[in-house]
Amino acid sequence: MAHVKHMKWWGWGEEGVHFEFSNKPAFAPFVKRALGVDLRPRERDTIDFSTVSVPAPRLETDLLDTLGGIVGDEHTSTDDELRVVHWAGKSVTELLLTRAGDFARVPDVVVYPADEDEVARVVALAVERDLVLIPFGGGTSISRSLQPSPDEERTIVSLDLGRLDKVLAIDETSGLATIQAGVLGPDMEDQLNARGWTLGHFPDSFTHSTLGGWAATRSSGMQSDKYGDIADIVRGMRVVRPGGTVVLRPLPSTSTGPSLREMFIGSEGRLGVITELDVQVHRIAEHREVIAYMFPSWPKALTAMHDIARSDVSTTFARVSDAHETAFSLSTQKAATSLKKKVAAKGQDLLWEVMRRRGWDTDEMCISYVCFEGTKAEVERRKKTVASIVKQQGAIVLGSGPGALYDQKKFDTPYLRDFLLEQNTIGDVSETAAPWSKLTTVHKAVYDAAQRAFDEQGKTGWIMSHMSHSYHSGACLYFTFGYEIGQDPHAEYAVIKSAVQQAFVDAGGTLSHHHGVGMEHSAWMEQDVSPEGVRLMRSLFEVADPGANLNPGKIVS
């Protein structure tokens, strides 16, 4: 589909973009120490689609014709590669299945509606003909929010909203924009930026995910400290349902019963198809700067982040990596090639030596990045305040150089998973949120649970974490873990991922802070929101969608 951008069928992002380690001299030794894996040069740039076999579509000719009559024959496709692009998201489980060509159940047809009316007609047809309808944005989900049930016998329609990609209007007085749900992050920001505005929402998946997908999965972005999570950003929306369209106006606040807006945010397509959103936008800041700091230990770093969160200083984000993630980050530094970079690298080595002489254990140090936006005077004032706060916990200011590099590379990390899979190695993530009083408990519990799982599987594993989002009462901890694949990849992964997720709930955190539920996390829903909460959700889905036509099986089964 020429007008709609898709990620490559076999992995993350664009064809031709890869993680490289040949220019990162410390990376291979780090991986050997952490995982016991000897890295080899990348052996392939792509995977030939002709090497896989895709099940034939299950749909009648008259249904294909009817769908073509709604959206146009040129926007209706049973092409095998397009069907595979739409069959799942990018979780480890789905990537393993995709690379193995193990397509248990693939959408039978992909349709690309041009407007809300066409969406409504497809939704109505799904109910009339008892089809399964799965809304599709960018395909970045890592919680299996897009994958059909392997036992599904009905015709499955993937409803790709990629043609609904416009910023329709901006209320400049109120700072509200009306935007179609299928717009990709970069395309949306280009349209907003051209008029001096920004949404300010930048998840890791920003390059390949959509506004509607962010709302449907209750997303958070890297800059949520300033701009809020997507639930704070979305003020109104239009949602197509089998019986009509729900219209929620962009009101600043309302006391009209339970919040329908909150009900649709995070619903993952089970209550209808989000076609349009009214969102809070902001004028682009005059000045932006990211400053890096180094802390002597994780407890001191967390204390500083808490102090920043409860201070009057306004930061766009304030994040800190634990010692393991700091070591990983330092291992990804490129080799110095210019004289300037060689001098900088030498200076860094000398700085670490000075820290060791002062009593630092450099294996325990934690790097932090704090972003400031505003006028130059505001940024300078906030930088001074934060510097004062972090120095109380023994931190040193590294400056804007490392911060600028972080800002430039912030969307590149997901490509590392594809590289590791080629190395027969799993790299995956899980995130949670907990009150400030429980963060250190959660952090330790997850490390301990992961290590027990690695030991149980006889693996040399690695886990690392960072604190990424701050709130008045708590924060998000984002964990990454890795290990070499053995004889039964899916069983091994289930043991290790389950250990991490269970540790979240047992230690007082939530099962997911911003990746949604899908099928990946649904097993823990009763522990997270209580059995009665799950019964209430299940009742809602059953009443709202009695035929189970709208992305069934997600969140709660």
Side-chain angles (χ1 to χ4, degrees):
M1 197 60 55
H3 178 68
V4 178
K5 304 170 189 174
H6 294 308
M7 288 192 287
K8 57 196 177 195
W9 70 270
W10 55 272
W12 183 268
E14 303 173 17
E15 289 280 5
V17 180
H18 309 280
F19 174 83
E20 292 285 354
F21 77 94
S22 59
N23 59 350
K24 303 174 180 67
F27 188 72
F30 170 84
V31 173
K32 179 65 175 177
R33 290 194 303 273
L35 303 177
V37 174
D38 290 305
L39 294 183
R40 60 182 184 277
R42 193 179 74 251
E43 297 174 354
R44 60 186 178 189
D45 293 334
T46 187
I47 299 178
D48 185 355
F49 186 74
S50 66
T51 61
V52 300
S53 177
V54 184
R58 309 180 192 178
L59 78 167
E60 299 172 358
T61 303
D62 73 308
L63 177 59
L64 188 63
D65 292 340
T66 301
L67 288 168
I70 295 173
V71 303
D73 291 337
E74 69 276 25
H75 301 301
T76 305
S77 180
T78 56
D79 174 79
D80 283 348
E81 187 166 345
L82 270 182
R83 291 168 56 222
V84 167
V85 165
H86 289 79
W87 96 280
K90 301 300 183 183
S91 71
V92 163
T93 297
E94 291 162 322
L95 289 176
L96 288 170
L97 292 171
T98 297
R99 285 165 172 256
D102 188 2
F103 307 118
R105 189 68 176 93
V106 178
D108 301 295
V109 59
V110 182
V111 297
Y112 296 84
D115 55 35
E116 185 175 279
D117 177 66
E118 291 183 2
V119 171
R121 291 168 66 190
V122 173
V123 170
L125 181 68
V127 174
E128 177 189 337
R129 298 286 294 267
D130 193 23
L131 315 174
V132 170
L133 191 68
I134 302 179
F136 188 96
T140 61
S141 167
I142 63 169
S143 59
R144 296 169 62 208
S145 298
L146 298 169
Q147 190 179 6
S149 167
D151 302 322
E152 184 57 69
E153 296 292 334
R154 296 173 292 177
T155 295
I156 299 171
V157 179
S158 179
L159 185 71
D160 191 307
L161 299 173
R163 295 173 68 201
L164 280 70
D165 62 353
K166 302 292 189 298
V167 173
L168 299 176
I170 300 178
D171 176 349
E172 301 205 357
T173 303
S174 307
L176 292 168
T178 302
I179 305 176
Q180 292 180 307
V183 66
L184 290 167
D187 296 336
M188 177 194 65
E189 280 294 316
D190 285 347
Q191 294 176 63
L192 290 172
N193 292 172
R195 295 177 60 176
W197 296 88
T198 180
L199 189 72
H201 191 74
F202 296 98
D204 287 359
S205 62
F206 170 77
T207 308
H208 304 289
S209 55
T210 65
L211 175 61
W214 301 339
T217 56
R218 196 173 283 272
S219 167
S220 287
M222 297 178 185
Q223 301 186 162
S224 291
D225 288 3
K226 175 178 178 180
Y227 296 101
D229 297 330
I230 200 67
D232 305 305
I233 293 169
V234 172
R235 307 314 310 156
M237 63 176 71
R238 296 177 66 91
V239 185
V240 173
R241 289 190 26 77
T245 299
V246 176
V247 180
L248 303 178
R249 295 171 295 148
L251 301 170
S253 185
T254 180
S255 179
T256 50
S259 172
L260 291 174
R261 179 179 61 86
E262 279 288 309
M263 186 173 73
F264 285 117
I265 294 173
S267 60
E268 301 187 16
R270 294 211 59 178
L271 297 175
V273 181
I274 300 170
T275 57
E276 191 176 294
L277 299 108
D278 299 292
V279 292
Q280 196 76 55
V281 292
H282 303 260
R283 283 293 184 187
I284 297 173
E286 173 189 313
H287 186 63
R288 173 187 173 88
E289 197 167 352
V290 179
I291 302 297
Y293 310 86
M294 191 68 81
F295 288 89
S297 69
W298 177 243
K300 288 182 177 295
L302 277 187
T303 298
M305 295 301 105
H306 190 191
D307 289 343
I308 292 170
R310 58 188 173 186
S311 72
D312 292 332
V313 66
S314 174
T315 61
T316 302
F317 63 76
R319 59 181 282 152
V320 62
S321 296
D322 68 6
H324 275 196
E325 188 169 283
T326 298
F328 164 79
S329 297
L330 293 174
S331 79
T332 63
Q333 291 180 328
K334 291 183 179 180
T337 53
S338 67
L339 178 60
K340 181 179 179 181
K341 290 181 179 178
K342 289 178 180 178
V343 170
K346 183 65 174 176
Q348 177 178 287
D349 292 341
L350 290 173
L351 178 60
W352 299 165
E353 180 59 32
V354 169
M355 292 300 99
R356 283 189 284 268
R357 290 175 183 172
R358 290 184 180 179
W360 281 42
D361 180 349
T362 49
D363 290 334
E364 293 299 318
M365 63 186 186
C366 301
I367 196 166
S368 171
Y369 300 100
V370 180
C371 179
F372 305 89
E373 291 182 332
T375 66
K376 286 190 176 183
E378 289 169 338
V379 167
E380 287 303 314
R381 184 170 63 251
R382 292 166 185 164
K383 283 165 55 179
K384 289 179 181 178
T385 302
V386 168
S388 175
I389 291 172
V390 301
K391 286 178 180 178
Q392 291 176 30
Q393 299 303 323
I396 58 173
V397 180
L398 299 180
S400 59
L405 184 61
Y406 163 79
D407 223 20
Q408 293 166 13
K409 302 296 183 182
K410 59 191 173 187
F411 302 129
D412 294 347
T413 304
Y415 285 100
L416 180 57
R417 284 195 312 164
D418 290 344
F419 168 79
L420 290 174
L421 281 174
E422 188 185 344
Q423 306 286 328
N424 200 43
T425 300
I426 294 289
D428 197 28
V429 298
S430 280
E431 26 65 66
T432 187
W436 289 108
S437 59
K438 295 184 178 181
L439 285 185
T440 54
T441 301
V442 171
H443 186 266
K444 184 178 186 305
V446 174
Y447 263 65
D448 290 347
Q451 190 59 56
R452 287 194 298 271
F454 293 144
D455 292 344
E456 179 183 332
Q457 299 294 309
K459 295 188 177 297
T460 300
W462 179 262
I463 188 165
M464 58 190 183
S465 178
H466 64 263
M467 192 219 80
S468 59
H469 302 71
S470 297
Y471 304 91
H472 178 77
S473 61
C476 167
L477 292 179
Y478 193 108
F479 292 86
T480 302
F481 56 91
Y483 58 91
E484 189 173 14
I485 297 171
Q487 295 298 312
D488 192 342
H490 291 283
E492 295 166 357
Y493 177 76
V495 169
I496 295 166
K497 177 70 182 285
S498 294
V500 170
Q501 294 296 133
Q502 190 63 54
F504 288 166
V505 180
D506 289 347
T510 182
L511 65 92
S512 177
H513 172 260
H514 57 261
H515 284 148
V517 181
M519 294 190 291
E520 188 86 352
H521 302 140
S522 60
W524 290 272
M525 283 294 286
E526 284 196 357
Q527 296 179 61
D528 198 290
V529 302
S530 80
E532 184 60 26
V534 167
R535 281 194 288 271
L536 188 60
M537 281 192 188
R538 187 174 290 121
S539 297
L540 170 63
F541 294 145
E542 288 173 354
V543 170
D545 179 29
N549 303 109
L550 304 177
N551 204 16
K554 310 308 187 298
I555 306 177
V556 296
S557 58

